[in-house]
Amino acid sequence: MHHGIMRLSELSDRLHIAPRSVTEVVDALQERGLIERRPDPSDRRATLVALTDQGQHVGTAIQTARAAETDRFFGGLSEPDQAHLTRILRQLLS
């Protein structure tokens, strides 16, 4: 959704999983009609993956649910506390 069409190798890097594992994930998502594989026009050896319309719909529903759960969980914090927590979490992730 956020990253658009990408190669399997790029997806593997983004997910921090082995290429073999990303193939299994993509196979499962393709079986469910959520993604499709496409040949890479710039490299015959590479495969691109893209969300289908159904995959886009499911991704949007997941984002909506995550946002609602985040609001429910952190909504009791004041704006300054939320900003402080965000800063701390970003520091931990970097």
Side-chain angles (χ1 to χ4, degrees):
M1 287 181 354
H2 296 291
H3 307 291
I5 299 169
M6 66 178 66
R7 288 183 176 178
L8 288 172
S9 58
E10 184 181 357
L11 183 58
S12 174
D13 290 344
R14 286 189 184 273
L15 296 176
H16 304 288
I17 60 175
R20 181 184 66 208
S21 297
V22 84
T23 299
E24 293 171 5
V25 169
V26 168
D27 286 346
L29 293 172
Q30 188 172 21
E31 284 177 27
R32 290 172 176 82
L34 301 175
I35 61 101
E36 63 183 8
R37 284 182 166 97
R38 299 177 184 173
D40 185 338
S42 65
D43 184 349
R44 293 184 327 207
R45 300 167 295 162
T47 299
L48 300 174
V49 289
L51 287 173
T52 62
D53 288 342
Q54 181 181 356
Q56 187 73 29
H57 178 72
V58 168
T60 299
I62 290 169
Q63 282 184 328
T64 300
R66 289 174 90 186
E69 187 63 14
T70 298
D71 287 345
R72 185 190 70 74
F73 192 76
F74 296 108
L77 295 175
S78 68
E79 294 264 340
D81 285 346
Q82 287 181 26
H84 188 66
L85 179 59
T86 298
R87 184 186 59 74
I88 291 169
L89 292 174
R90 283 192 179 134
Q91 190 173 12
L92 288 171
L93 292 173
S94 62

